[in-house]
């Protein structure tokens, strides 16, 4: 397998290993030879991993390209979750107390390089933490009150490593890169307890109140005990058997933390944290769709070095999308070059990469609901009145914010539309997805893969009724039953 060590300054890395190349993050993100490379493991040693930085995108695109990334995008997002850091502190409490028991001060800093510390006595603790987070350079601060707790965990760059540690770090790196295998982190009479996560002030909730009531009523008939949870109920999640997320999902909000916690605690989940990560980032989606040969409008992943070439590919008008845009938020249409340059410049201030896409007109978008690789509803969403999108958040009247919708039987959906939807869902793995597709000049073009699609009373259930809700609830129950049989 090819090994790519992705760094900001290759000249600072005096190490070598068989079948290993040291390249810059810019090269990995932009050069076609790396996008098309097969059987690659990517060691992401970028200077920073913050959300939407180059380091973040290296791990994100590695996954889209089918490369094995260290750290994974999950590892990077976990690092910023204070709730998950607390969980780790509790999980490793015994080893933390044992390793730090002889320290006299009230605060202690532990630096971990490829799973090792320069002091042998902290090896066990360093290994445990590295196996969980899989970040090459970690710095932890522990604080002691009545016992030792993790105060903070952060990824550091090579420039933050003390000079006296560099020789040891390079030695640990050589050991690590020479390996052939790499560690990976491993009340009532109802049959099951189901938590449905809802954000009370969600500007674009994926289920309206009548739909939520349907879920609760039908779940209770299936012998679930059901509670509607809000983000403040995070501490209660472990007492449930299953989690169904019905709030907007972004990497930086509570839904992802709930999904990760549920996964760690062994709950049945809709939807998985991997699904949230992949679907919430348009950069991953664009790369994955292209890699799998799925037709889309002409699409360009834009960065500062290629921004002046974009319109040659997309033409005008051009649609610009922030990587984490949802429900048409963060999606803009540039009608001319001046608008394009202004909008793109503003977007690149908050993200190193932006999606530019050819504008394709259609009166409606298909939405195919797919659960665990099987379609279970089909809708057409018409554009909002006088607008080019399904949602028009700037409309003066609430009734004009979205367009009409109608439902179709699965067997009546055009074959090319259904084929594109099923192929798109397979990219993301098992889970609940809504695939948005436009029919343009005889082609089915995939516009979006949604991890948390709308299930609204009076819309998505317009043809199949209760079957839409029961399909999801049955999937959750089947997952729980299969665990019981193991």
């Amino acid at each position: 397998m090819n090994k790519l060590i992705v760094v900001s300054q290759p000249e600072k890395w005096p190490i070598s290993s068989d079948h290993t190349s040291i390249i810059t993050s810019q090269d990995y993100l932009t050069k076609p030879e790396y996008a098309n490379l097969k059987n690659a493991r990517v060691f992401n040693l970028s200077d920073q991993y913050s959300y939407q930085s180059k380091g973040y995108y290296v791990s994100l695109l590695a996954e889209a390209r089918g490369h094995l990334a260290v750290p994974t995008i999950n590892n990077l997002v976990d690092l910023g979750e204070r709730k998950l850091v607390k969980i780790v502190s509790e999980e490793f409490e015994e080893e933390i107390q044992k390793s730090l028991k002889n320290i006299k001060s009230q605060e202690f800093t532990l630096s971990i390089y490829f799973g090792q510390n320069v002091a042998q006595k902290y090896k066990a603790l360093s290994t445990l933490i590295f196996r969980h987070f899989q970040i090459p350079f970690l710095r932890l601060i522990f604080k002691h009150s009545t016992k030792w707790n993790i105060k903070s965990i952060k990824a550091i760059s090579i420039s933050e490593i003390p000079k006296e540690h560099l020789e040891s770090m390079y030695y640990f790196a050589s050991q690590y890169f020479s390996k052939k295998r790499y560690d990976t982190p491993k009340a009532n009479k109802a049959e099951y307890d189901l938590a449905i996560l809802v954000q009370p002030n969600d500007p674009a909730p994926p289920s309206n109140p009548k739909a939520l009531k349907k879920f609760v009523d039908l779940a209770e008939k299936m012998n679930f005990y059901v509670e509607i949870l809000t983000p403040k109920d995070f501490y209660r999640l472990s007492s449930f058997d299953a989690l169904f997320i019905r709030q907007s999902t972004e990497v930086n909000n509570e839904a992802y933390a709930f999904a990760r916690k549920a996964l760690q605690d062994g709950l049945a989940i809709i939807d998985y944290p991997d699904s949230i990560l992949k679907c919430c980032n348009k950069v991953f989606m664009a790369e994955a769709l292209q890699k799998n040969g799925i037709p889309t409008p002409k699409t360009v992943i834009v960065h500062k070095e290629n921004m002046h070439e974009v319109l040659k590919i997309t033409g005008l008008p051009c649609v610009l999308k922030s990587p984490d845009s949802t429900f048409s938020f963060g999606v803009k249409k540039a009608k001319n070059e001046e608008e394009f340059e202004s909008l793109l410049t503003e977007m690149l201030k908050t993200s190193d990469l932006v999606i530019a896409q050819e504008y394709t007109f259609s009166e409606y978008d298909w939405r195919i609901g797919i659960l665990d690789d099987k379609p279970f509803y089909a809708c057409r969403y018409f554009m909002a009145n006088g607008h080019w999108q399904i949602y028009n958040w700037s409309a003066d009247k609430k009734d004009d914010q979205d367009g009409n919708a109608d439902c179709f039987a699965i067997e009546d959906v055009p074959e090319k539309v259904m084929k594109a939807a099923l192929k798109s869902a397979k990219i993301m793995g098992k889970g609940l997805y809504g695939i948005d597709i436009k029919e343009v000049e005889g082609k089915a073009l995939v516009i979006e893969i949604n991890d948390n699609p709308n299930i609204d009373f009076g819309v998505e259930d317009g043809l199949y009724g209760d079957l839409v809700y029961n399909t999801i609830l049955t999937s959750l129950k089947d997952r729980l039953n299969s665990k019981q049989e193991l």
Side-chain angles (χ1 to χ4, degrees):
M1 178 176 282
N2 297 295
K3 297 180 184 178
L4 302 177
I5 302 175
V6 180
V7 300
S8 297
Q9 296 174 290
E11 65 276 7
K12 289 189 175 181
W13 286 91
I15 60 173
S16 62
S17 181
D18 291 341
H19 308 293
T20 300
S21 301
I22 299 178
I23 63 173
T24 66
S25 52
Q26 184 72 12
D27 284 348
Y28 183 76
L29 292 172
T30 61
K31 289 193 174 180
E33 60 260 39
Y34 299 117
N36 299 324
L37 190 65
K38 294 182 179 180
N39 298 321
R41 186 181 292 274
V42 177
F43 301 97
N44 182 4
L45 307 184
S46 301
D47 271 355
Q48 59 172 308
Y49 302 114
S50 58
Y51 187 53
Q52 296 189 0
S53 65
K54 287 181 180 177
Y56 179 90
Y57 283 119
V58 167
S59 287
L60 187 74
L61 292 190
E63 192 167 344
R65 294 168 179 176
H67 299 166
L68 300 175
V70 178
T72 66
I73 199 66
N74 275 340
N75 300 144
L76 297 181
V77 175
D78 285 356
L79 202 62
E81 277 292 342
R82 296 183 66 179
K83 294 185 182 78
L84 293 178
V85 170
K86 184 176 184 293
I87 291 166
V88 172
S89 187
E90 293 169 352
E91 185 177 346
F92 300 150
E93 180 174 352
E94 184 178 346
E95 187 58 47
I96 290 171
Q97 307 311 322
K98 178 182 172 183
S99 298
L100 307 185
K101 65 181 180 182
N102 293 324
I103 296 174
K104 305 303 181 186
S105 62
Q106 298 300 300
E107 194 166 282
F108 175 70
T109 300
L110 178 71
S111 297
I112 302 173
Y113 312 124
F114 300 98
Q116 300 193 60
N117 180 263
V118 293
Q120 187 69 15
K121 60 185 174 181
Y122 302 123
K123 182 175 182 179
L125 179 58
S126 298
T127 300
L128 269 180
I129 292 167
F130 178 71
R131 280 180 178 169
H132 187 95
F133 285 105
Q134 290 281 295
I135 307 287
F137 306 143
L138 281 168
R139 181 165 292 158
L140 288 83
I141 297 177
F142 296 87
K143 194 160 184 76
H144 189 277
S145 51
T146 56
K147 62 179 182 178
W148 286 104
N149 287 299
I150 299 175
K151 180 181 176 183
S152 66
I153 304 178
K154 64 170 286 192
I156 60 173
S157 66
I158 188 173
S159 62
E160 295 176 89
I161 297 174
K163 289 182 180 179
E164 61 270 24
H165 287 187
L166 285 175
E167 185 177 350
S168 295
M169 184 276 288
Y170 288 128
Y171 175 70
F172 298 151
S174 297
Q175 284 185 315
Y176 182 79
F177 293 130
S178 65
K179 291 196 294 186
K180 292 184 179 179
R181 294 179 65 86
Y182 296 88
D183 295 327
T184 51
K186 301 262 174 194
N188 58 71
K189 294 183 179 180
E191 187 176 4
Y192 297 115
D193 294 348
L194 169 64
I196 301 179
L197 177 64
V198 172
Q199 170 60 265
N201 299 313
D202 202 332
S207 285
N208 57 23
K210 286 185 177 181
L212 291 174
K213 186 175 187 306
K214 271 284 185 184
F215 277 119
V216 172
D217 292 346
L218 292 171
E220 288 176 347
K221 290 180 181 179
M222 295 174 65
N223 207 18
F224 279 104
Y225 167 76
V226 187
E227 276 195 55
I228 301 289
L229 299 191
T230 65
K232 64 182 177 59
D233 296 314
F234 184 80
Y235 71 98
R236 298 185 54 218
L237 184 60
S238 298
S239 64
F240 290 84
D241 301 300
L243 170 67
F244 181 33
I245 296 174
R246 288 285 85 192
Q247 76 158 74
S248 298
T249 52
E250 288 100 34
V251 174
N252 287 336
N253 77 6
E254 308 88 358
Y256 180 78
F258 268 76
R260 287 292 289 158
K261 178 73 165 82
L263 186 66
Q264 288 177 337
D265 289 350
L267 278 67
I269 318 167
I270 292 179
D271 246 335
Y272 295 105
D274 273 358
S275 301
I276 296 173
L277 277 176
K278 293 175 182 178
C279 291
C280 282
N281 196 286
K282 302 295 187 291
V283 173
F284 175 92
M285 198 179 299
E287 184 95 6
L289 290 169
Q290 182 180 13
K291 188 80 174 177
N292 286 274
I294 297 172
T296 66
K298 293 174 184 175
T299 303
V300 182
I301 297 175
V302 189
H303 46 86
K304 289 179 181 178
E305 293 185 10
N306 73 345
M307 59 186 293
H308 300 296
E309 306 297 318
V310 172
L311 295 182
K312 296 177 184 177
I313 299 170
T314 65
L316 286 166
C318 173
V319 178
L320 294 171
K321 300 181 179 182
S322 297
D324 55 358
S325 55
T326 57
F327 288 99
S328 300
F329 293 116
V331 180
K332 308 291 183 184
K333 184 171 73 169
K335 297 186 289 293
N336 52 52
E337 288 190 35
E338 185 179 354
E339 276 190 358
F340 171 81
E341 290 181 10
S342 174
L343 290 169
L344 182 58
T345 300
E346 195 62 30
M347 287 180 168
L348 286 171
K349 289 179 181 178
T350 56
S351 176
D352 285 336
L353 302 178
V354 170
I355 294 297
Q357 202 165 63
E358 166 193 24
Y359 171 67
T360 49
F361 171 78
S362 64
E363 292 182 1
Y364 58 82
D365 286 357
W366 283 99
R367 164 70 63 83
I368 310 300
I370 295 178
L371 178 59
D372 298 337
D373 296 329
K374 294 179 181 179
F376 70 109
Y377 72 84
C379 290
R380 294 189 306 178
Y381 298 152
F382 290 82
M383 302 301 127
N385 186 31
H387 193 60
W388 61 281
Q389 295 169 288
I390 293 166
Y391 295 98
N392 180 10
W393 299 109
S394 60
D396 293 332
K397 298 178 181 178
K398 187 173 176 58
D399 290 344
D400 290 336
Q401 282 189 347
D402 54 11
N404 295 323
D406 56 20
C407 291
F408 274 65
I410 297 296
E411 59 270 20
D412 292 338
V413 176
E415 183 180 358
K416 62 193 173 187
V417 171
M418 186 58 69
K419 185 178 178 181
L422 289 168
K423 192 174 180 181
S424 299
K426 279 189 179 294
I427 297 174
M428 302 299 177
K430 299 287 185 182
L432 172 63
Y433 303 104
I435 315 299
D436 293 345
I437 297 172
K438 286 184 182 290
E439 288 184 276
V440 180
E441 297 179 355
K443 295 180 181 179
L445 304 180
V446 175
I447 304 299
E448 205 92 271
I449 305 173
N450 302 280
D451 70 289
N452 194 29
N454 279 58
I455 307 292
D456 280 322
F457 182 88
V459 184
E460 286 76 17
D461 62 356
L463 182 64
Y464 290 115
D466 288 357
L467 182 60
V468 172
Y469 305 93
N470 281 327
T471 298
I472 295 171
L473 295 168
T474 299
S475 176
L476 281 168
K477 196 160 193 177
D478 287 346
R479 295 176 197 197
L480 289 164
N481 288 338
S482 65
K483 286 184 181 183
Q484 296 289 343
E485 293 167 4
L486 294 177

